[in-house]
Amino acid sequence: QVQLVESGGGVVQPGRSLRLSCAASGFTFRSYSMHWVRQAPGEGLEWVAVISYDGSNKYYADSVKGRFTISRDNSQNTLYLQMNSLRTEDTAVYYCAKDPTGPWGQGTQVTVSS
Amino acid sequence: DIVMTQSPDSLAVSLGARATINCKSSQSVLYSSNNKNYFAWYQHKPGQPPKVLISWASTRESGVPDRFSGSGSGTDFTLTISGLQAEDVAVYYCQQYYSTPWTFGQGTKVEIK
């Protein structure tokens, strides 16, 4: 079955960096676009970024543009999210999701706090 | 970006009764070339990832109980839970995947009356 497992979350100070990973299995990873979506405490779902199946196209939410970078390694069936210049408002559970209708991983918590 | 607006924000329903959630998109999510609505409903319970219940506006995902049904086309959609069960207490989100970025409704919290 399709499985997505995120890792790399944690507590980090404002201005620092963090890299999230999402290990995929159970489907042909290299054939699908992949997304990152987040949910801040008490808030709804916010789409963060998408990468095309071959990595040639990437799109970002305005709130993270210029700070976050989405990438993938199709040889390792892994999706990444490099998060730089983190802000307190980036605190959220981050989910990876398979296009177009999931499933989603279990999520990884990112907390940005001094 | 396509704006998704759900109603109501919260809903309290008796066990066994029907729950209805509506979602309106700011523009059509019906792709004319294949006549498919690029629209989904998700169920989100605390401590779990969002789970897709309905895709393509009305296609129930594998394993989803048949008390969940989706309807609508274009810009107006409805999720119906026929015979609410205790395990259905959750927040429900609508989502469009017609265009980037994915956008979500604000969520509807469903509780037991």
Side-chain angles (χ1 to χ4, degrees):
Chain A
Q1 74 282 15
V2 175
Q3 191 169 14
L4 299 170
V5 179
E6 301 95 337
S7 61
V11 180
V12 63
Q13 292 179 326
R16 304 300 289 265
S17 299
L18 211 55
R19 189 176 84 154
L20 306 183
S21 300
C22 170
S25 61
F27 67 103
T28 306
F29 180 73
R30 64 180 180 274
S31 297
Y32 290 88
S33 294
M34 296 291 295
H35 300 255
W36 286 100
V37 180
R38 68 185 181 183
Q39 184 176 38
E43 301 293 327
L45 300 170
E46 180 190 18
W47 175 85
V48 173
V50 62
I51 186 168
S52 60
Y53 69 99
D54 61 356
S56 61
N57 292 293
K58 306 173 186 180
Y59 300 94
Y60 300 92
D62 287 344
S63 57
V64 307
K65 202 173 295 182
R67 300 187 299 122
F68 289 12
T69 301
I70 189 171
S71 62
R72 65 192 297 160
D73 183 341
N74 285 343
S75 68
Q76 297 292 320
N77 290 346
T78 303
L79 174 73
Y80 300 101
L81 186 68
Q82 177 68 42
M83 304 186 294
N84 297 333
S85 303
L86 281 160
R87 305 169 179 168
T88 55
E89 55 264 35
D90 295 319
T91 294
V93 177
Y94 285 74
Y95 301 97
C96 61
K98 172 181 165 289
D99 191 80
T101 58
W104 297 27
Q106 86 288 348
T108 187
Q109 175 71 49
V110 172
T111 302
V112 185
S113 173
S114 54
Chain B
D1 298 357
I2 298 176
V3 177
M4 309 297 284
T5 305
Q6 287 180 234
S7 61
D9 290 336
S10 63
L11 190 57
V13 176
S14 301
L15 285 172
R18 174 176 294 188
T20 301
I21 302 170
N22 298 300
C23 181
K24 189 174 184 68
S25 58
S26 60
Q27 64 187 75
S28 177
V29 298
L30 174 64
Y31 194 40
S32 56
S33 66
N34 60 9
N35 201 37
K36 283 191 165 188
N37 288 284
Y38 283 60
F39 180 93
W41 288 101
Y42 285 80
Q43 177 190 65
H44 195 192
K45 297 180 179 180
Q48 297 182 21
K51 173 188 173 184
V52 59
L53 298 175
I54 305 284
S55 59
W56 310 109
S58 59
T59 301
R60 198 180 304 115
E61 293 292 300
S62 175
V64 173
D66 59 8
R67 62 180 180 273
F68 292 94
S69 62
S71 62
S73 183
T75 61
D76 292 276
F77 300 89
T78 300
L79 174 69
T80 302
I81 310 173
S82 302
L84 190 77
Q85 303 296 306
E87 60 264 32
D88 300 335
V89 169
V91 177
Y92 293 83
Y93 293 94
C94 62
Q95 179 221 11
Q96 66 80 23
Y97 46 98
Y98 179 88
S99 65
T100 298
W102 282 356
T103 49
F104 300 88
Q106 76 277 18
T108 296
K109 187 174 185 178
V110 174
E111 300 173 307
I112 305 295
K113 186 188 292 183

